[in-house]
Amino acid sequence: MFKSKAGTEFLEKMSWVADMLMFSILWFVFSIPIVTIGAATSATYRAVQVRMKEGNGIVWSVFWKTFKNSLPQATVSWLIYFMITLVFGLNQMQLVNELAGSWLNHFSQIFLLVVIILITPVSVDNTSKTIPVTIIQDKK
């Protein structure tokens, strides 16, 4: 039977799009409890990493394994990140409303922004190097 290379490439691209859609849905569902946003983000990051490296469509097993393993560490790092961002937001509200316009508040705002920028990669990629993922391939 005749096989088209363009058809195969199209199916591979559509499989990739479907996997990315599944990652987005999994991230959204597992982020509904606000406390688990860190673990869901970490699991999504790792699952996309494995998908890009391996090229196969194992979505759920990689996501779930990473989510379970990273839940304690990612939750703590997410809560720390959330608290720093909350302080940043409250401080910004005070500066906008001119309730606290001292140079110290402006300096603390810049300091908190730098801390948030520096913590972001750590809070997202806190498990990619520590959790081995075993891919089970079907034997034909």
Side-chain angles (χ1 to χ4, degrees):
M1 182 159 79
F2 178 72
K3 287 190 176 181
S4 163
K5 184 174 179 174
T8 306
E9 288 178 10
F10 177 74
L11 289 176
E12 288 175 2
K13 298 286 184 200
M14 291 309 293
S15 172
W16 183 82
V17 168
D19 286 347
M20 293 303 128
L21 182 65
M22 276 301 294
F23 292 139
S24 298
I25 291 169
L26 285 171
W27 179 84
F28 179 76
V29 169
F30 280 81
S31 294
I32 289 175
I34 300 293
V35 177
T36 61
I37 287 178
T41 303
S42 178
T44 303
Y45 182 83
R46 178 67 175 148
V48 169
Q49 224 180 13
V50 169
R51 171 65 168 97
M52 298 296 281
K53 183 179 179 184
E54 302 293 328
N56 54 7
I58 299 175
V59 175
W60 172 251
S61 63
V62 173
F63 183 89
W64 181 245
K65 197 178 291 186
T66 307
F67 183 82
K68 283 192 318 185
N69 290 335
S70 68
L71 187 61
Q73 180 184 3
T75 301
V76 169
S77 66
W78 161 248
L79 289 176
I80 292 170
Y81 182 76
F82 178 73
M83 293 305 289
I84 292 172
T85 307
L86 182 68
V87 169
F88 177 81
L90 293 174
N91 197 15
Q92 184 64 31
M93 282 180 19
Q94 286 182 347
L95 287 174
V96 167
N97 294 331
E98 297 179 14
L99 297 174
S102 72
W103 67 271
L104 188 59
N105 261 357
H106 289 287
F107 176 76
S108 68
Q109 195 68 358
I110 293 170
F111 176 75
L112 287 172
L113 183 62
V114 169
V115 168
I116 289 170
I117 290 170
L118 292 176
I119 286 180
T120 300
V122 175
S123 66
V124 170
D125 187 20
N126 62 357
T127 59
S128 65
K129 293 171 185 61
T130 58
I131 300 173
V133 178
T134 307
I135 307 296
I136 301 171
Q137 295 183 352
D138 295 331
K139 295 181 180 179
K140 294 182 180 180

